[in-house]
DNA sequence: AAGTGGTCTAGACCACTAC
DNA sequence: TAGTGGTCTAGACCACTTA
């Protein structure tokens, strides 16, 4: 007889939580791949030694977290949100007429440098830490609109190269996930007005001293681990930043 | 014998969904008030003629939507988020050091005018509609930081006066709720850069032509009914706008 | 000790999908 | 028709709160 989950770890952790972790472990181990169906509920409930109801509660939560997708009558599948769309919700610049577009990225610079004090604070790094810093110019509808200056820890992103960044086929955050197993699940952005310096004036095709929107973003993974620090400068003559707030549906788990 | 829910409406709607609506109806009818406990699960399941499991699924969703709050061993309570704090989450300007403050408001102007085409579009008004337009200057930490220009329909806010606005003891949205029964539950904001005109230069104590952050907001009630149109101009030399995004925890039930 | 919500079971029947 | 997830039942026992 195979030991049940609760027999393996008789702690105060609820059974469905243990099942959830077991499923996540199986996913991490590559037992089921993106887009594939996982075994039917009946089978999984037997495998983990729990009732259907408990198994379903575990799966429910994984579905809520966009890790699995259910299709009635077909099965439950590993979400394929990685490729592109999933992370696109973090991109919040649209044309003033409301038209959305997928940005074209052009890598401008890539450096391996000592982290400034500000970057160390945002990324919770200790003095002496080094980071990869790279600059992207983004175009929307063929217009240069945004310049991103991005910093990530060289420990967390060990081995990151200029070529990897240039050749990535997908969203930057999707790239983080695929190449480094790092999941960006939340961002905190601050927005203010700035003026274009010489470099940005060239990249955005504006006058030096022209007013720009400046976004300062920390991207977080699970457990509020900071992953990326980013400063974006946006030419808002024809574009704007989207902010939305809603009272219902979902707390703000990380506290405003 | 009291008829069960499913007997009353034998449509394709799941039972737990019907239970959820029945609970919402009871809340709307004032049967249980803010902060009060609702009856225990056992009792409710009998009242609605469903099993505990089904009743729990309905309550689960209401808890997810922040309408109810559960406390193990104590009971389930109607969430209390009205008076002031509740609406404060729509206020997203903070000092650059992260310090938050409650704004001091000074009413600068109050007019009853014909709605411009832009305002009519944002508030879904027909040609010829009139609106109340008023201007507020907001101070944070004693500094003039924000100027709001606000438009609301004179039909929806029938009888609104300058004195009411000046004397309100609470948040503007709390005032809408108390005086007009209008609930703001969501906002859609767009952010861009603008320059100070003569009026704003005086009110914000900046030079004419100085760059400002411009927020353009539509506030919505239930069923995505637009309630208020607002343009805010912010001096971001010492303040900034907060934007956050999170992947997990709750869909957006009202689909913004 | 009594009452609450939290977890869990071992099924049942239904709606949908694929073959 | 067979197999999937979607819904629902009628309980059980546990952890926590209040008195």
């Amino acid at each position: 007889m195979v030991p049940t989950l609760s027999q393996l770890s008789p702690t105060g952790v609820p059974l469905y939580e243990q099942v959830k972790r077991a499923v996540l472990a199986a996913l991490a181990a590559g037992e089921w791949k993106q887009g594939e169906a996982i075994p039917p509920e009946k089978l999984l409930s037997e495998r983990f030694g729990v009732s259907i109801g408990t198994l379903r509660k575990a799966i429910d939560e994984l579905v809520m977290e966009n890790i699995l997708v259910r299709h009635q009558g077909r099965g439950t599948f590993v979400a394929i949100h990685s490729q592109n769309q999933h992370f696109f919700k973090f991109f919040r610049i649209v044309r003033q007429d409301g038209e959305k577009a997928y940005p074209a990225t052009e890598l401008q610079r890539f450096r391996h440098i000592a982290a400034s004090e500000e970057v160390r604070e945002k990324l919770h790094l200790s003095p002496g830490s080094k980071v990869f810093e790279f600059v992207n110019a983004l175009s929307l509808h063929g217009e240069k609109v945004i310049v991103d200056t991005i910093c990530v820890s060289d420990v967390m992103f060990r081995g990151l190269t200029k070529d990897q960044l240039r050749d990535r086929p997908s969203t930057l955050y999707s790239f983080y996930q695929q190449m480094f197993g790092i999941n960006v699940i939340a961002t905190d952005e601050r927005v203010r007005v700035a003026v274009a310096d010489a470099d940005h004036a060239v990249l955005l095709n504006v006058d030096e001293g022209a007013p720009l929107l400046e976004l300062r973003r920390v991207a977080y993974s699970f457990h509020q681990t900071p992953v990326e620090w980013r400063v974006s400068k946006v030419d808002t003559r024809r574009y704007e930043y989207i902010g939305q707030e809603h009272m219902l549906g979902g707390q703000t788990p990380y506290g405003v």
Side-chain angles (χ1 to χ4, degrees), chain A:
Chain A
M1 178 83 183
V2 175
T4 66
L5 285 175
S6 50
Q7 287 170 340
L8 284 172
S9 42
T11 64
V13 182
L15 244 192
Y16 72 84
E17 189 64 35
Q18 297 178 42
V19 171
K20 195 176 152 186
R21 291 181 196 174
V23 172
L24 279 172
L27 281 167
E31 184 168 344
W32 314 302
K33 302 198 195 320
Q34 288 204 345
E36 282 182 18
I38 68 174
E41 300 182 338
K42 182 69 166 42
L43 219 159
L44 283 178
S45 70
E46 286 165 2
R47 161 166 167 181
F48 294 126
V50 301
S51 75
I52 290 272
T54 302
L55 187 274
R56 276 187 67 83
K57 176 144 188 175
I59 301 296
D60 278 348
E61 300 214 341
L62 291 169
V63 168
M64 275 222 305
E65 292 171 17
N66 287 319
I67 293 168
L68 299 175
V69 178
R70 276 201 275 238
H71 292 287
Q72 188 175 26
R74 297 209 299 134
T76 303
F77 299 79
V78 183
I80 190 150
H81 55 55
S82 311
Q83 295 307 346
N84 268 340
Q85 284 185 311
H86 181 46
F87 293 111
F88 196 54
K89 70 183 299 191
F90 292 120
F91 185 78
R92 313 225 285 191
I93 302 293
V94 298
R95 205 161 66 185
Q96 288 179 6
D97 61 13
E99 198 61 37
K100 291 171 189 173
Y102 193 82
T105 306
E106 207 174 297
L107 184 63
Q108 299 290 335
R109 192 169 69 180
F110 181 85
R111 299 192 295 176
H112 187 196
I113 58 174
S116 71
E117 190 179 332
E118 179 177 36
V119 171
R120 289 208 314 273
E121 185 218 322
K122 302 293 185 188
L123 295 181
H124 297 181
L125 300 176
S126 44
S129 300
K130 298 186 78 176
V131 291
F132 295 115
E133 183 210 70
F134 53 100
V135 176
N136 278 327
L138 276 64
S139 300
L140 293 166
H141 307 282
E143 299 178 272
K144 286 268 172 52
V145 180
I146 307 168
V147 174
D148 288 339
T149 302
I150 297 172
C151 290
V152 296
S153 158
D154 69 343
V155 175
M156 193 177 279
F157 289 76
R158 192 178 300 282
L160 177 66
T161 69
K162 190 172 185 173
D163 288 340
Q164 284 179 328
L165 275 176
R166 208 198 303 275
D167 300 340
R168 73 194 152 84
S170 54
T171 308
L172 193 54
Y173 290 170
S174 174
F175 169 77
Y176 291 173
Q177 184 186 61
Q178 287 164 13
M179 295 296 288
F180 298 94
I182 292 167
N183 294 280
V184 171
I185 61 163
T187 57
D188 185 352
E189 285 182 332
R190 304 299 162 114
V191 186
R192 57 174 83 160
V193 174
V195 294
D197 60 23
D199 290 345
H200 285 84
V202 172
L203 290 173
L204 292 173
N205 196 27
V206 299
D207 295 333
E208 197 173 332
L212 300 174
L213 206 65
E214 177 177 295
L215 312 181
R216 304 156 63 79
R217 173 197 289 186
V218 182
Y220 295 94
S221 182
F222 297 103
H223 311 300
Q224 299 170 60
T225 308
V227 164
E228 178 208 74
W229 165 246
R230 168 189 303 219
V231 177
S232 305
K233 308 240 179 173
V234 187
D235 176 6
T236 61
R237 283 174 304 177
R238 275 184 297 278
Y239 292 82
E240 59 192 1
Y241 174 88
I242 301 182
Q244 288 173 329
E245 191 60 65
H246 202 292
M247 296 228 120
L248 311 180
Q251 354 45 350
T252 317
Y254 285 79
V256 174

